[in-house]
Amino acid sequence: MRPRAMLGLLPADLRRLARDELLVWMPAVPLAMALAARLGVPALLRAVGPGGAGAREWAARIDVAAFAIVVPVLVGTVVGFMLLGEKEDGVWSVLAVTPTSLRGYLIWRAAGAVIVAAAAGGVCTRLAGLDDLGAARTAVLAAAGAPLAGAAALSLAAWAANTVQGFAAVKLSLIVLVLPAVAPRDAGVWQWPLAAIPSWWPVRAYWDLTGPGSWWPAWLLGSAAVGLAIMAVGLRRAAP
């Protein structure tokens, strides 16, 4: 898409989001999660005292699950439902016969979801304050989780038939996506089947970024590759 066309869509997107009773509250959820984590988790850790190593382990799991998995999926869900609504309203059919191709439009939407998810994930991670990653490593973690947004957006657009089906798919997918965050960290070869789950890659990046590991560049690249593969399949189905 041309830059002028991209910029022209932004005000329309904001107006549409404000009018949609289903989606208008969703952008506030990541900030609410970050504030709840900032206020609630430290209080829990103070309550369990210095012997609560298990509680601190679960605080880290909450950190990565909430801000490297759930936040990107929420961003992708908002974009995916907007695309699904446009498909139901016949907008895709109109785009197919304009200079702005449907494929290019969907790619732009997915890219926008990834960028917004990276920014939202980084801001919410810093706001929650559950780790000491620092700005640079927080940016790496946010980048590792961001492809989930594009994958969620194009998956909803490609496979969901309506909004009700889309919500059911999001709920089920979140159950699967949080599994790597609650799985044992050092499961040896038994952890590799989880690599088929897209969220496994940002979770592995998180453990390396917060610990002595140095493999986080591989996990970052793996997350990008898996996310792009899912987006390519969704794009092929939505715009053959």
Side-chain angles (χ1 to χ4, degrees):
M1 293 184 68
R2 296 177 180 178
R4 182 174 295 180
M6 295 179 189
L7 294 175
L9 286 172
L10 293 178
D13 287 344
L14 293 175
R15 289 193 299 269
R16 179 180 174 186
L17 194 61
R19 292 195 303 264
D20 195 316
E21 295 180 358
L22 182 66
L23 301 180
V24 66
W25 56 271
M26 293 185 72
V29 173
L31 289 176
M33 290 168 52
L35 290 173
R38 188 175 189 89
L39 296 175
V41 175
L44 173 64
L45 294 180
R46 287 194 298 270
V48 300
R56 287 170 176 78
E57 174 77 10
W58 278 102
R61 295 180 185 278
I62 291 171
D63 193 23
V64 65
F67 307 118
I69 298 174
V70 176
V71 167
V73 171
L74 284 176
V75 172
T77 298
V78 171
V79 176
F81 279 139
M82 293 175 70
L83 289 172
L84 187 57
E86 291 169 350
K87 180 169 70 171
E88 292 175 334
D89 293 340
V91 175
W92 287 17
S93 300
V94 175
L95 285 171
V97 296
T98 64
T100 301
S101 69
L102 177 58
R103 181 178 291 268
Y105 177 74
L106 294 176
I107 291 173
W108 176 78
R109 286 297 197 189
V114 171
I115 293 170
V116 172
V123 169
C124 289
T125 300
R126 298 291 286 172
L127 182 60
L130 298 183
D131 55 59
D132 56 355
L133 287 175
R137 289 183 172 240
T138 298
V140 172
L141 176 64
L148 290 172
L154 288 185
S155 295
L156 280 173
W159 282 285
N162 50 56
T163 303
V164 174
Q165 191 179 98
F167 258 114
V170 170
K171 291 177 182 178
L172 290 174
S173 65
L174 278 174
I175 294 173
V176 175
L177 289 171
V178 298
L179 288 178
V182 300
R185 292 177 56 177
D186 301 312
V189 296
W190 298 105
Q191 68 179 306
W192 286 103
L194 292 176
I197 302 176
S199 57
W200 182 82
W201 300 88
V203 169
R204 299 309 305 179
Y206 180 85
W207 295 134
D208 273 14
L209 290 167
T210 56
S214 59
W215 282 84
W216 61 262
W219 311 134
L220 177 61
L221 291 174
S223 178
V226 172
L228 286 172
I230 295 172
M231 284 184 263
V233 174
L235 184 64
R236 184 176 180 82
R237 177 178 174 84

